[in-house]
Structure formats: structure tokens, C-alpha cells
Amino acid sequence: MNIESHILLDTTIGEVQDALRAGDQPALAVLEGVPTREHRFADYLRDPAKAVRYEQQLAREVAGIDLERLIIAVPMVVTPRPAVGEESMRLRSPYTGPLRDDLDEYNVIAYTIFDVEEGASTGMALFTRNPDGTYTFGLDGDEKFTVTVPVNPSRTFPGMALLREILDETLHLRADLRREGDPEPR
């Protein structure tokens, strides 16, 4: 991941953390380019069909900008699963109930980032919701050190519907969305 993508990731994760502290749980998307656009979508976590439509809306907006990179970041609950199939974890909305200790669930900010030159990366930034309703982010509570974990996404991972809309079969930005000077698929 290049430095610009790292900055976008850190900034976006920080904005989701700020929203959580303020009592909000939005999906946050940034389409970085000319012009840059930022979106917050509060209903993303409430309805999977709306989440897909939101990502399809973002894909339509990509056609109107000279895209350099994009990110979508969403607070989720993760349930680890035995690695017996394609999915070794299941994501769910925090609105569907509190963490279940019997399932070893934990809170994350799931993200997908795409850079025109470097491709897509997916991962999770872990956080803890404390009993008093506050949140702890970062390594040992030091928010300067946000811990991100790369993941192999499932079809329903945040950002996957968006990538299916904007990438071609070689996993590069579709030809009709590329600006002049973008790298050609190898």
C-alpha cells in the first residue's frame, strides 16, 4: 500500500472512530480524485439490500471523477469461524445485538481500499466498546497506533459490491472509468 493510501486509511478510520464516540455508526466512503467526494450512510448497517444499493450508487459516482483511490469503512461485529470453507469469519451489524461471548465476537471497523495503481486491499481495525459506553481504539488504548488486520473478504464484505461494479475481469478499473495516464492492465 502506498503512502497516499495509508493516509486515506488512517484518516477514514479516524473519522469512523470519531463518529462512534459521538454515538453514530455510519458507513463512511471517500472517493479520492478530482473532485474528491465523501459520503456517510447511516442505514448501511440496518439493511443489507440498502448497503448494496449504496455501494452501487458509489460506483456510479466513480464515472464522474478522475479516481485515484477510494475507501469504504464500516463498524461491524465479527464472529470467528473454523476455517472449513471460504469464509473464516462472519460479519454482522452491531444493530443486531450485543457481542456474544459464547461466539468470541469482537468489534471492528471493516474496510476496503482501492488504489488505481496498486489495486484493492481489505482489512479490519479492531476496537473495544467498554462497559461504560466509551470506546478504546488502537494498541493498548494508544489511538496513534491503530491495529489493522488484513482479511480475505467474502462476497458480502463491505466494499465488495462496489468493486464488482467498477473493476474488470483483470481486477483493474474498467476501461470506461480510467482517466488518461492510468496504468493499463498487465
Side-chain angles (χ1 to χ4, degrees):
M1 191 180 304
N2 61 32
I3 189 69
E4 292 87 1
S5 292
H6 274 290
I7 291 169
L8 179 60
L9 176 62
D10 289 346
T11 302
T12 305
I13 295 294
E15 288 183 31
V16 174
Q17 291 171 342
D18 290 344
L20 288 166
R21 279 188 209 95
D24 195 8
Q25 295 189 29
L28 180 62
V30 178
L31 306 176
E32 197 171 80
V34 179
T36 293
R37 296 188 179 139
E38 184 174 314
H39 297 277
R40 289 176 182 264
F41 191 71
D43 286 342
Y44 188 98
L45 292 169
R46 296 187 188 275
D47 182 350
K50 283 184 181 179
V52 169
R53 285 193 301 273
Y54 170 60
E55 291 189 32
Q56 291 169 337
Q57 171 193 334
L58 290 173
R60 288 188 295 275
E61 285 194 35
V62 168
I65 66 174
D66 288 334
L67 184 71
E68 294 176 20
R69 67 196 52 82
L70 62 80
I71 188 170
I72 183 166
V74 185
M76 304 288 286
V77 173
V78 172
T79 304
R81 301 173 71 189
V84 294
E86 177 182 309
E87 297 181 42
S88 61
M89 65 184 66
R90 183 179 58 213
L91 293 170
R92 70 171 175 86
S93 167
Y95 291 122
T96 59
L99 293 180
R100 291 190 46 191
D101 290 335
D102 60 325
L103 296 177
D104 296 326
E105 290 183 326
Y106 54 96
N107 291 298
V108 298
I109 299 170
Y111 67 85
T112 295
I113 189 164
F114 173 76
D115 184 282
V116 171
E117 294 179 4
E118 299 202 0
S121 298
T122 54
M124 302 180 300
L126 302 120
F127 69 92
T128 304
R129 183 177 181 158
N130 303 315
D132 65 358
T134 62
Y135 295 91
T136 301
F137 302 102
L139 186 61
D140 295 327
D142 186 345
E143 296 181 21
K144 294 178 186 169
F145 298 102
T146 300
V147 177
T148 59
V149 178
V151 297
N152 291 325
S154 67
R155 283 187 65 77
T156 59
F157 194 84
M160 291 298 103
L162 171 59
L163 292 182
R164 283 192 297 276
E165 296 283 326
I166 67 170
L167 300 182
D168 63 19
E169 63 279 348
T170 66
L171 302 181
H172 288 84
L173 200 59
R174 288 189 344 238
D176 61 315
L177 299 176
R178 285 188 215 126
R179 61 179 186 209
E180 289 184 37
D182 276 353
E184 291 294 319
R186 295 176 214 152

